[in-house]
Amino acid sequence: MVTNTAANAASGTRRPQVAGVLLAAGGGRRLGGRPKALLEHRGRPLVEHAVRSLRDGGCGPLHVVLGALAGEVRERAELTGCAVTVNPGWEEGMGSSLRLGLAALAGSDADAALVLLVDQPGIGAEAVARVRAAYRSRSSLAAAAYDGERGHPVLFGADRWADIAAGAVGDQGARGYLREHRAAITLVECSDVAQAYDIDTVADLGHLE
């Protein structure tokens, strides 16, 4: 019996590997210091829902960047099968977590990274799968769109990681890079399968069940 791996090797092709990177380090300052990763949604921590979206959307391997109360998150959340990185400088903003997430993939076989934020539970596996399917090469740049407006998740081809990391500072993450390279971004409409709200304030907690 010839396995898919063996067949791919024999033909010189392989399925592109799109790693899932979940940014889940924030301390929830506007939520009274409640880390978003630990907020409950349908009886489980938000971080679990986001991991499931990445996995069911076809991403792998999975990398989770934790920060605030990282030890408690690891105790309470089921993160089996995920590589976990703890960001000691999580208070510096999302940029530091993005840098760590991309650095964790350096030297791996991943052809691209699909980045998802932990505080967007309205974005599930269907949106992840659509953006993942936009991969074309290691220079790919794609993002979900909601009624034409760019949002998350975002896919970064491996050839772009170094430049993205270099500009990821403060809470900007990759926004500056994406602005500069907007002509290269493939927008993937996802408004029919996902909702791009954030859980940022106490008022937003109404989105959680």
Side-chain angles (χ1 to χ4, degrees), residues 28-185:
R29 178 177 53 82
R30 287 184 285 172
L31 291 166
R34 300 162 65 186
K36 296 178 181 181
L38 287 174
L39 294 176
E40 287 205 358
H41 182 46
R42 299 173 184 170
R44 297 302 304 166
L46 272 187
V47 65
E48 286 187 17
H49 293 277
V51 164
R52 187 178 306 114
S53 294
L54 289 171
R55 181 179 289 120
D56 293 350
C59 294
L62 302 182
H63 290 257
V64 179
V65 182
L66 300 178
L69 297 183
E72 186 174 343
V73 175
R74 298 183 81 158
E75 287 177 8
R76 290 178 50 189
E78 176 54 62
L79 299 177
T80 301
C82 299
V84 176
T85 300
V86 177
N87 178 7
W90 61 267
E91 291 180 285
E92 297 173 14
M94 184 171 58
S96 61
S97 291
L98 178 58
R99 292 197 305 272
L100 283 177
L102 294 178
L105 296 174
S108 74
D109 292 330
D111 298 293
L114 188 144
V115 179
L116 184 64
L117 308 182
V118 75
D119 66 347
Q120 295 188 316
I123 298 175
E126 289 180 282
V128 169
R130 284 190 185 181
V131 176
R132 189 203 180 286
Y135 174 87
R136 295 293 180 272
S137 73
R138 289 171 65 90
S139 62
S140 286
L141 191 60
Y146 301 90
D147 296 324
E149 294 295 319
R150 177 174 54 79
H152 283 87
V154 181
L155 181 144
F156 301 122
D159 289 349
R160 296 182 180 272
W161 294 349
D163 288 342
I164 291 168
V169 296
D171 273 326
Q172 289 297 305
R175 272 177 279 180
Y177 183 90
L178 291 170
R179 280 195 302 270
E180 292 171 10
H181 297 82
R182 58 183 175 274
I185 302 172

Side-chain angles (χ1 to χ4, degrees), residues 189-204:
E189 187 59 47
C190 292
S191 58
D192 59 322
V193 296
Q195 294 178 294
Y197 56 81
D198 299 314
I199 306 297
D200 281 334
T201 67
V202 172
D204 296 330

